[in-house]
Amino acid sequence: MTATTEELARRVCERWHELSPEDFRAVFAEDCIYQNMPIPGMKRGPEEIASTLATLGDEIDVKLQVMNLVATPECVMVDRQDSFKRQDGSGSMELPVVGVFEGANGKLTVWRDQFHFDPTFWETGGE
């Protein structure tokens, strides 16, 4: 059975901390784009996106908590709280995020995250 866009978005958000690079690759369409809107650049395709997401977990423990989710068959909006904790204990932060996921044929085709990004956050300890 083909996964719905909502099922894929939930899988990525609720199970991020346990997903392998292969798990991430499996949910993205070949032409998928991933963009953190306040940060320049866009990732394209399952290899580049999975590599980016999995690498983050090499140094930072990431957990995403879904607060609200609204879905149509093709589009899912997820209001969530993302938690990041450096594995060396040197910092952590909580970040409110709204993610927009689009999908087709059992794969995610678009993932855009919206949030306020302060690049000095880690240096200030989140204050």
Side-chain angles (χ1 to χ4, degrees), residues 5-116:
T5 303
E6 180 178 351
E7 289 168 337
L8 295 169
R10 281 189 182 279
R11 182 181 314 155
V12 168
C13 291
E14 294 173 350
R15 297 183 48 215
W16 177 300
H17 59 284
E18 60 189 53
L19 296 177
S20 70
E22 294 77 26
D23 294 330
F24 279 120
R25 274 198 261 335
V27 301
F28 299 116
E30 287 300 317
D31 60 349
C32 185
I33 61 166
Y34 168 70
Q35 186 174 14
N36 284 315
M37 299 305 283
I39 300 173
M42 182 180 310
K43 306 300 179 194
R44 296 180 183 276
E47 290 300 321
E48 188 175 14
I49 297 168
S51 176
T52 299
L53 299 177
T55 302
L56 183 61
D58 289 344
E59 297 179 13
I60 301 171
D61 291 325
V62 181
K63 294 213 169 123
L64 283 56
Q65 179 183 4
V66 174
M67 310 299 276
N68 296 289
L69 185 144
V70 178
T72 67
E74 295 83 24
C75 184
V76 178
M77 297 179 76
V78 181
D79 169 27
R80 60 182 206 261
Q81 184 78 17
D82 293 4
S83 300
F84 303 90
K85 182 177 179 184
R86 286 194 170 160
Q87 292 175 357
D88 66 5
S90 66
S92 65
M93 71 174 176
E94 301 283 323
L95 185 65
V97 177
V98 172
V100 177
F101 298 83
E102 296 175 24
N105 303 315
K107 300 281 186 174
L108 293 176
T109 57
V110 173
W111 178 2
R112 291 183 306 271
D113 278 342
Q114 308 272 348
F115 53 89
H116 171 72

